[in-house]
Amino acid sequence: MKINPVEYTADLGRRVHIGLQNWCDKHTAEPAQRQIMLSTAAITFAALTFSMGASAGGEGFAGMLDTGATQADSGSNSLARIFKFLGFGGAAYGGFNWWKKGQDGARSDIKATQIFIPILAGAGIGGIGYLMGKAGETVGMATSTYGQVPQ
């Protein structure tokens, strides 16, 4: 009997999830455990919300939200660059297969789908990255100059 790793992983995930739910149900049913859980959650929330270290430079909750928004903008710029790179890589892989297929009988087992699907997928993923960058610039995100050579 051959084990399918995808089905095994999914089944393991379900079992862990069910086990954790049962453990939480058992411990939240007891009043003392529930009070401990709620009090630690309240302490954690208060520490994250009202501490000066977590409030982004002493500007309070609004400063923390502003810092989070800035980091989200930076993350989306990075994600756009990653998509562009993956798109270029996919198209290059398809082009490499095309080149190998064109050699004199060396790799005649390469099918057309192994050429055109990576090229089309690469173009699609690269296009998504390009659109993410342009949409971010439209709404006011500054593009990163990291790694660019000054003119």
Side-chain angles (χ1 to χ4, degrees):
M1 180 174 160
K2 187 173 181 180
I3 297 175
N4 185 348
V6 174
E7 291 178 10
Y8 178 76
T9 305
D11 188 45
L12 182 64
R14 280 190 292 271
R15 288 180 186 203
V16 168
H17 182 70
I18 291 169
L20 287 173
Q21 279 184 329
N22 290 336
W23 184 82
C24 287
D25 289 343
K26 182 177 83 171
H27 286 86
T28 56
E30 299 174 19
Q33 292 291 332
R34 183 168 172 76
Q35 290 299 321
I36 291 171
M37 181 183 66
L38 290 175
S39 61
T40 56
I43 290 169
T44 303
F45 178 76
L48 288 175
T49 305
F50 300 112
S51 71
M52 293 304 284
S55 66
E59 297 177 10
F61 193 68
M64 187 169 54
L65 291 177
D66 184 51
T67 302
T70 303
Q71 290 177 354
D73 290 344
S74 176
S76 64
N77 280 338
S78 298
L79 196 59
R81 284 186 297 205
I82 289 170
F83 275 158
K84 288 177 191 176
F85 174 77
L86 290 176
F88 181 76
Y93 178 71
F96 182 67
N97 280 344
W98 197 345
W99 175 77
K100 285 194 309 187
K101 175 87 172 166
Q103 299 298 313
D104 290 329
R107 293 297 306 260
S108 61
D109 60 332
I110 295 177
K111 299 182 179 32
T113 57
Q114 293 173 310
I115 296 171
F116 294 111
I117 289 178
I119 291 174
L120 293 174
I125 292 172
I128 289 170
Y130 177 78
L131 286 176
M132 284 176 67
K134 286 301 174 187
E137 290 175 12
T138 302
V139 295
M141 289 177 8
T143 57
S144 174
T145 58
Y146 179 75
Q148 294 180 358
V149 177
Q151 303 267 341

